[in-house]
Amino acid sequence: MEFETIPGVGEKTAAALSKLDNAEEALRDGDVAALSNAPGLTVGRAAAIARGAIRREHDDAGGFLATDRSTELYRDALALVQSRTVTNYAERRLETLFPTGSHSRIEEVRAFARDALEHEPTPDVLDALSGVEPLSEPPTVRVRERCIATADAERYADAKSTFPELSIEVVEDARGIAELARSYSTVVVLDETFAGIDVEGDVRVTPDATSRIDELVPERLLNFFAENRETLHAAAAVHEAAELDPACDIDALEDALSRLSDDGTIVGDDELTRLSNAVSDLDAAVSTAESVANDRLRDVIRERDVTIEGTDFLSLVEQGARVDSLLGRELEDEFDGALAAAREHFVDSLGLMGSEAAFAEQVFPENPSFPLEHDEAAVGRLRTELKAGRDRRAAKLKAELAADLQTLRGPVETLVRDALELDVKFAVSRFARDFDCVFPEFTGTAGDGEPGSFAIDGGRSPLLDVSFEDVDPVDYEVAGVTLLSGVNSGGKTSTLDLVGLIVVLAHMGLPVPAESVELSRFSELHYYAKSQGTLDAGAFESTLRDFANLTDGAADRLVLVDELESITEPGASAKIIAGILEELAEQGAAAVFVSHLAGGIQEAADVSVAVDGIEAVGLENGELVVNRSPVKDHLARSTPELIVEKLAGENETTFYARLLEKF
């Protein structure tokens, strides 16, 4: 796949995507989690790239959201779904859903959404999802007890990039390898010419090292699982709570994770623990063993009376003997006992076994003295042996655990991705349930012989500043070009917003908040919000240019306009709107213009323009009582007319009656 053919993908991003093993599949699936694993790509950037790839696949040039207000409605619609996610991933993943005129893309998302509605979120699953996030690669950790050796410059460069955890050394001959073997627990030689080399130490000639990364550097795989431990536990819990079939053996995964610490080291092995503790406690054990012996000797000497005859003392002095020799002769048994106690304590406190325990005699040699002292060189030799044993044991266990985890590496990616995608489905499901949504029925493409249309039955907007349960349902049907009239604060703008919201959601492939909806498939949504005040000449000219472009386009657009008359004087506005509607009607486009000048516009138009009205049925306690569903082919009465009518009915004076006749 040529990544640079994706909208928004340049050379640098294409290079990053090429480093992924499954980039093409991830782009086809809109898999934001997988795409975000590319070097330097954030989840947000990955979502944008996925949108571009989806548009390319479905031959969608974009542009459905043709105005700022259309885009605002999309953002509002998307936010309603995103607010029902648990994970940051799902919130970003939902950004790959966008309104489009592409039939194939709409149907693709509708299939996804239908499947989503089969999932009913439960508190246990939602709680488990809170711990799931995309898998991350851990930082590179240096492994100091192992190295790679080669005599070839090209292999050296490859090894540098392949094994950043290890030291890469250049050698010329067997002597160089032998020197490395004295400094490292394991030396991996890349050159086959060194096969059969006979040097002391753990030296492995492995020409195919680059294809055996997990075997030679198990720490990389272990660190990955350690880094993502909590996410893996959470993903497993999601599958259990949701009763989903996991992509891997959960028991095997949990067992493997139980043998791994948070820092990627092995836990739960008694022998490794013993050796690790022995290395850590060696100096303290030496000191304590000395104290045990010396305390014992001190007590014995303090309580013991020693008599030395003059001739013996003179003989010892003449022979240059130290007092220790005298004490050794007089307290031989006590020294033997103290020495044995020191050695026993030393061996027991460190848990030394076999050849390790034999070092106790070297650390505390039979050299009667007071205070008893250890042999530091022997301690050093023991330390080296314990470290070597520890490292060998750790390497063996790491290799064994890495072998177990290697088979789980791919499946756990699926495990986590499935959990994250479940959150995406849950968000759609929760949205549809919270707002009593249904799937709309598309009746065809607008402009294919018939004007664009929509029919909404029982639509309720979740964007209003009231509880959704308190929103009055709206029935509204439009085919072609229509004027929507009505009283102030009667709900004309809210109705227009409801139409726009339902059209956006339907073209995203999502269910809509209504009892039923039928609509044409549109290529663009042009929604012009109410202008704030009369425009100056320059702004007015710019607005007319916008509408000139609009009327010189395809018939498969939906145009929603809220009180365009506010751009200039009412008389001129009625004529301008009439002209725009004439052009749109000739195209066969669908349009709803909210206006207080509906009667004047009808008179100015050279074509038949339908007028619907949101009718106020009266006033109660100074408040309008409104039928929120527009009445077809009805010019709604204005608020002033209703007020005059009310006053005329309440007063005997003829003033109000004469005013009412003016209407």
Side-chain angles (χ1 to χ4, degrees):
M1 177 184 289
E2 294 292 333
F3 296 129
E4 290 185 57
T5 62
I6 299 172
V9 174
E11 181 180 351
K12 183 177 180 181
T13 302
L17 291 173
S18 67
K19 296 184 182 299
L20 295 176
D21 294 332
N22 57 345
E24 293 188 22
E25 179 183 355
L27 288 167
R28 283 194 301 271
D29 296 342
D31 189 344
V32 177
L35 293 173
S36 63
N37 287 329
L41 286 191
T42 63
V43 174
R45 176 68 177 137
I49 293 170
R51 285 196 299 273
I54 291 168
R55 289 191 189 281
R56 186 188 65 174
E57 180 181 354
H58 293 278
D59 196 23
D60 176 14
F64 183 92
L65 302 170
T67 62
D68 291 344
R69 181 58 186 146
S70 301
T71 301
E72 288 175 6
L73 267 185
Y74 163 62
R75 288 298 173 194
D76 290 341
L78 184 63
L80 289 172
V81 188
Q82 287 178 314
S83 65
R84 284 156 176 80
T85 61
V86 176
T87 63
N88 291 331
Y89 167 83
E91 184 177 352
R92 291 295 191 182
R93 170 72 168 84
L94 285 167
E95 292 180 5
T96 62
L97 304 183
F98 51 85
T100 175
S102 167
H103 173 73
S104 60
R105 174 57 180 171
I106 292 173
E107 291 305 314
E108 182 178 73
V109 177
R110 281 166 70 93
F112 168 82
R114 289 187 189 280
D115 178 62
L117 265 60
E118 297 296 321
H119 298 273
E120 184 172 0
T122 65
D124 287 345
V125 181
L126 296 176
D127 182 61
L129 275 170
S130 65
V132 183
E133 58 187 28
L135 297 171
S136 60
E137 291 295 332
T140 300
V141 177
R142 294 290 294 177
V143 179
R144 304 192 181 280
E145 68 269 17
R146 217 170 305 135
C147 78
I148 301 272
T150 180
D152 184 89
E154 186 174 340
R155 289 196 190 98
Y156 175 86
D158 289 343
K160 270 285 189 183
S161 61
T162 305
F163 298 101
E165 301 90 345
L166 305 180
S167 294
I168 313 299
E169 306 286 351
V170 176
V171 295
E172 295 182 356
D173 49 30
R175 180 181 299 175
I177 295 174
E179 290 178 359
L180 290 176
R182 286 193 287 270
S183 302
Y184 293 95
S185 298
T186 301
V187 178
V188 178
V189 184
L190 302 181
D191 309 315
E192 196 169 5
T193 54
F194 287 106
I197 187 174
D198 184 17
V199 296
E200 186 176 348
D202 184 8
V203 176
R204 310 173 189 178
V205 178
T206 314
D208 60 343
T210 55
S211 63
R212 299 164 62 182
I213 295 175
D214 289 340
E215 177 185 339
L216 298 178
V217 193
E219 291 83 358
R220 184 181 302 182
L221 188 61
L222 301 185
N223 288 336
F224 169 82
F225 277 88
E227 176 82 6
N228 296 287
R229 169 196 298 277
E230 297 306 320
T231 284
L232 295 175
H233 283 310
V238 167
H239 281 72
E240 181 179 2
E243 298 182 351
L244 299 177
D245 291 332
C248 67
D249 185 332
I250 297 298
D251 290 337
L253 175 62
E254 296 287 0
D255 174 69
L257 291 176
S258 71
R259 293 146 59 192
L260 190 64
S261 71
D262 290 340
D263 62 359
T265 56
I266 302 296
V267 296
D269 182 77
D270 293 340
E271 176 63 5
L272 180 59
T273 300
R274 181 188 72 82
L275 290 167
S276 298
N277 290 341
V279 172
S280 300
D281 299 342
L282 181 57
D283 291 333
V286 170
S287 178
T288 303
E290 283 182 343
S291 297
V292 167
N294 289 327
D295 288 346
R296 181 167 176 170
L297 286 173
R298 189 175 293 107
D299 291 342
V300 170
I301 294 172
R302 185 182 296 116
E303 296 173 2
R304 182 75 173 269
D305 293 330
V306 179
T307 302
I308 304 176
E309 295 183 2
T311 54
D312 290 337
F313 182 72
L314 181 59
S315 174
L316 288 170
V317 172
E318 288 177 344
Q319 296 172 17
R322 297 185 304 133
V323 175
D324 290 347
S325 300
L326 175 62
L327 294 176
R329 186 188 67 184
E330 293 292 327
L331 303 174
E332 182 177 357
D333 291 341
E334 285 75 4
F335 269 113
D336 289 343
L339 185 60
R343 290 172 175 172
E344 181 180 1
H345 183 278
F346 183 69
V347 170
D348 291 346
S349 64
L350 295 177
L352 300 180
M353 301 173 63
S355 61
E356 303 164 355
F359 271 91
E361 297 182 2
Q362 300 177 37
V363 173
F364 297 106
E366 294 184 1
N367 181 24
S369 63
F370 182 80
L372 183 68
E373 295 180 349
H374 67 274
D375 185 328
E376 188 60 37
V379 173
R381 291 191 296 273
L382 175 58
R383 191 191 313 277
T384 299
E385 179 158 327
L386 290 173
K387 283 184 176 181
R390 177 200 62 188
D391 293 344
R392 284 193 299 271
R393 183 67 178 176
K396 176 177 179 296
L397 294 172
K398 286 178 181 179
E400 292 174 350
L401 182 54
D404 293 342
L405 291 174
Q406 198 277 333
T407 61
L408 295 172
R409 180 64 170 85
V412 298
E413 289 185 356
T414 304
L415 181 79
V416 173
R417 185 162 57 249
D418 288 350
L420 292 169
E421 287 295 322
L422 184 63
D423 190 25
V424 181
K425 292 180 180 179
F426 276 174
V428 173
S429 177
R430 295 169 74 186
F431 165 78
R433 294 168 190 273
D434 289 348
F435 300 121
D436 299 330
C437 294
V438 298
F439 282 97
E441 179 182 343
F442 285 96
T443 57
T445 300
D448 286 351
E450 296 291 336
S453 65
F454 61 81
I456 300 170
D457 183 19
R460 289 190 292 166
S461 174
L463 300 178
L464 299 176
D465 293 331
V466 295
S467 172
F468 184 70
E469 290 74 17
D470 296 331
V471 176
D472 293 328
V474 172
D475 301 333
Y476 193 32
E477 180 177 350
V478 166
V481 173
T482 301
L483 285 165
L484 179 59
S485 63
V487 296
N488 289 329
S489 302
K492 299 186 298 299
T493 299
S494 297
T495 299
L496 213 59
D497 284 348
L498 174 64
V499 172
L501 177 67
I502 285 177
V503 168
V504 166
L505 286 169
H507 286 75
M508 291 171 71
L510 297 177
V512 300
E515 293 178 10
S516 68
V517 171
E518 293 183 357
L519 77 164
S520 303
R521 190 169 62 251
F522 299 103
S523 66
E524 297 174 4
L525 172 62
H526 294 256
Y527 188 168
Y528 295 90
K530 186 186 304 183
S531 175
Q532 301 299 317
T534 303
L535 302 181
D536 61 29
F540 177 68
E541 179 181 344
S542 176
T543 300
L544 287 183
R545 290 182 184 276
D546 287 343
F547 279 96
N549 294 330
L550 176 63
T551 57
D552 186 25
D556 57 350
R557 298 167 169 174
L558 174 62
V559 182
L560 305 177
V561 183
D562 193 4
E563 295 190 21
L564 182 60
E565 61 263 27
S566 62
I567 65 173
T568 188
E569 296 85 355
S573 293
K575 296 174 183 177
I576 291 169
I577 295 172
I580 294 171
L581 290 175
E582 289 171 2
E583 295 291 332
L584 292 174
E586 288 182 8
Q587 292 177 13
V592 180
F593 277 56
V594 168
S595 178
H596 289 288
L597 307 176
I601 294 168
Q602 265 188 320
E603 293 177 3
D606 292 335
V607 297
S608 177
V609 178
V611 177
D612 301 332
I614 296 179
E615 182 72 1
V617 296
L619 291 166
E620 288 185 5
N621 300 321
E623 298 290 334
L624 285 170
V625 178
V626 179
N627 177 8
R628 301 294 180 184
S629 295
V631 179
K632 299 301 296 179
D633 300 318
H634 175 74
L635 180 61
R637 292 179 297 172
S638 66
T639 303
E641 181 180 358
L642 289 170
I643 294 173
V644 172
E645 182 182 60
K646 177 178 180 293
L647 292 173
E650 294 175 351
N651 295 273
E652 296 181 359
T653 177
T654 60
F655 172 72
Y656 298 115
R658 287 197 300 271
L659 283 181
L660 186 60
E661 290 175 359
K662 300 293 184 182
F663 289 94

